Amino acid sequence: MREYLLQLKTQAIELWQKMTKTQKIIIGCSAVLLFGTLILLARGATKPDYGALFTQLDDQQAGQIVAKLKEKKILYQVSDTGGTEKGTTIMVPSKDITQTRLDMASEGLPTGGVVGFESFDNTKFGETDTDRRARYLRALQGELTRTIEGMAEVEKARVHIVTPEPSLFMDQQQNATAAVMIKLGPNKSLEAGQVKGLVKLVSNSVEGLKPENITVVDMAGNILSEDIGSDEESRSQKLTVTQNQLQKQYQKEMQNSVQSMLERIVGIGKAVVRVQADLDFDKIQEKSELYGNNVVRSKQVNEETSKSTTTDNTGVPGTDSNIPGYVTGGGTGSSDKTTSGTITNYEVDKTETVKDIAPGSVKRLSVAVVIDKVIDAKQLGDIENAVKNATGFEQTRGDQISVAGMDFNTEYQDQLKSEIAKAEQRQQMMVYGGLAALALLIISGVVASIVIKKRRAKAEEAAVVGEFVTPLPVDEFISTEPVLSQEEKEQKRMKDQVEKVAKDHPDDIAQLLKTWLAEE
């Protein structure tokens, strides 16, 4: 074994001495490069693998966390978050990430960059009412920020509250205002109901703050709370939007129904239908009273009879009737009186009907139909009747149906088809060209492999002839022309001639390839 090693050493020294200066430089540089690579690999293997502990931290949060990491003697790295996101990223060894996060969470870190009501845990000596009010306002803003950031769609938030000083005069008292800036997560958005809930949250958290005095904006400066008005206004807006959606949906369904019917008759794409419907969204309540035949409920009959006697006290004209004590003859009489009456009470037959008419009925309907051909009067009438029956046409509502036949303009479709055909032709030519290039590449590879095999065979023959041959310099080896046979020289000459023709006349070569492919 020892003799074998000594023999290898001797052969290596002899080989080194036989090398040229250029070869020695190449081998030396390769050895240095290999040694440096090994050092870097060894250093990377011993270096701890770092992972992100917290990202997108502001300077205050990053400073608090770094101080805790130094206190606990944990290795860390600080870098910018990078990309479009702003903030600082703190990285620690991957094996310590989970435990470090738990330790930081137990100490209330990160705080989110805001201060909440925990600031009142410690009483400050000599604090005035103004200082305490400012600290309370800051704590309230911090608590609202944390609450808003708890929403799934919100990534970060900032809350600003302005509370004016109390005034002795009511007409001079100003209202509190608030502004909320939110940063939404990727591909996230807030619906109108969520924005309204956010406004209510802030309004009910601040004394004297009205919802109309709260502004919510996103990072792009778009006002999200602009359409959030009073309850009545909000309901009116929602109702209007819903009515428009219902009207568009009704028109679309009616249009698709008539379109599909006509396409079965005249062919797909040969008919165009447009529907305009006016829907009545008024809610109507009808109340009617119907009176029937009279029915006797009760009947009362009254009858009264009376009898009276009368005396005639009239005298005879003259002195006889005026003399005192003189009695004259007089007469008496009697009379009978009967009175009767009937009172009849009737029961009235009354029917009361209350009917609520739901909104959404069709007030007026207009339909326009155009057919892609000239049609006669009979076909026109048949199509019009079919459309009327399909749409529920009513003359009393003022509905209108228009049917016309004319040739459609197909210039755009024809141009589009022509461009598509040209694009397909270009794509086909590219495919054929690629196949031709691939075939040429394969042929060149086969020829090159044959040449390489022959060169190797000749090199092996030369190595057998002389075991110890002084290696040629690199420059001479590169510049030495291989010895080619007569057949190889002929192939090389033909290849050079083809390449020259292809460079001088590329269009002719391309046309030749197209002809070959077409023949195949």
Side-chain angles (χ1 to χ4, degrees), residues 110-387:
T111 60
V114 295
V115 178
F117 284 117
E118 66 273 7
S119 62
F120 286 89
D121 294 341
N122 299 323
T123 303
K124 295 184 178 180
F125 181 76
E127 186 179 32
T128 63
D129 291 340
T130 303
D131 296 337
R132 186 175 181 83
R133 180 177 177 82
R135 191 150 61 98
Y136 170 79
L137 190 61
R138 182 186 179 191
L140 181 59
Q141 293 177 163
E143 293 293 337
L144 285 173
T145 299
R146 293 174 181 174
T147 303
I148 296 173
E149 288 180 349
M151 299 177 65
E153 293 79 7
V154 178
E155 188 173 322
K156 294 187 73 65
R158 289 293 301 272
V159 179
H160 304 277
I161 301 173
V162 178
T163 55
E165 294 291 336
S167 176
L168 297 176
F169 303 98
M170 294 295 295
D171 56 348
Q172 297 180 359
Q173 180 63 46
Q174 297 181 354
N175 296 325
T177 58
V180 180
M181 175 173 282
I182 58 177
K183 179 182 179 182
L184 301 176
N187 300 323
K188 299 289 185 179
S189 62
L190 291 179
E191 298 180 356
Q194 292 176 302
V195 177
K196 185 177 180 180
L198 194 151
V199 170
K200 287 288 185 182
L201 170 68
V202 178
S203 174
N204 295 333
S205 301
V206 181
E207 181 181 1
L209 181 58
K210 299 179 180 179
E212 55 267 23
N213 293 332
I214 301 174
T215 303
V216 181
V217 298
D218 59 10
M219 296 297 293
N222 300 318
I223 301 177
L224 305 181
S225 59
E226 187 174 10
D227 298 332
I228 306 300
S230 62
D231 294 340
E232 187 66 28
E233 182 182 357
S234 178
R235 283 195 296 268
S236 177
Q237 291 177 353
K238 289 182 179 179
L239 182 60
T240 303
V241 172
T242 303
Q243 291 175 355
N244 292 334
Q245 291 176 350
L246 290 175
Q247 184 166 332
K248 290 180 180 179
Q249 182 180 358
Y250 178 83
Q251 293 176 171
K252 183 177 180 181
E253 292 179 354
M254 183 69 69
Q255 177 177 314
N256 293 337
S257 176
V258 178
Q259 181 96 23
S260 61
M261 179 188 69
L262 294 178
E263 287 182 346
R264 295 290 296 272
I265 301 173
V266 298
I268 297 177
K270 298 295 184 179
V272 177
V273 180
R274 292 295 180 266
V275 176
Q276 177 64 39
D278 295 334
L279 301 184
D280 187 3
F281 293 100
D282 296 335
K283 185 177 180 180
I284 302 174
Q285 185 181 51
E286 293 183 352
K287 184 177 181 181
S288 60
E289 295 181 353
L290 180 62
Y291 296 91
N293 299 326
N294 296 333
V295 179
V296 178
R297 183 178 63 178
S298 62
K299 186 175 183 181
Q300 181 180 359
V301 180
N302 297 324
E303 186 175 347
E304 182 181 355
T305 302
S306 61
K307 187 177 182 180
S308 61
T309 302
T310 60
T311 302
D312 187 8
N313 293 322
T314 59
V316 179
T319 58
D320 292 340
S321 59
N322 293 322
I323 297 173
Y326 180 79
V327 179
T328 62
T332 60
S334 62
S335 61
D336 296 331
K337 182 179 181 182
T338 302
T339 304
S340 63
T342 303
I343 299 175
T344 304
N345 295 321
Y346 293 93
E347 185 71 32
V348 179
D349 185 9
K350 176 183 177 182
T351 302
E352 183 176 351
T353 304
V354 178
K355 181 171 64 174
D356 291 334
I357 301 177
S361 60
V362 179
K363 187 162 50 178
R364 188 172 179 272
L365 188 66
S366 299
V367 182
V369 177
V370 181
I371 308 298
D372 186 17
K373 64 178 180 178
V374 179
I375 55 179
D376 54 23
K378 183 178 182 304
Q379 291 177 333
L380 188 67
D382 294 340
I383 293 176
E384 184 174 351
N385 292 331
V387 173

Side-chain angles (χ1 to χ4, degrees), residues 515-520:
T515 305
W516 288 353
L517 294 173
E519 291 177 355
E520 292 179 358

Side-chain angles (χ1 to χ4, degrees), residues 198 389 464:
L198 194 151
N389 294 330
V464 172

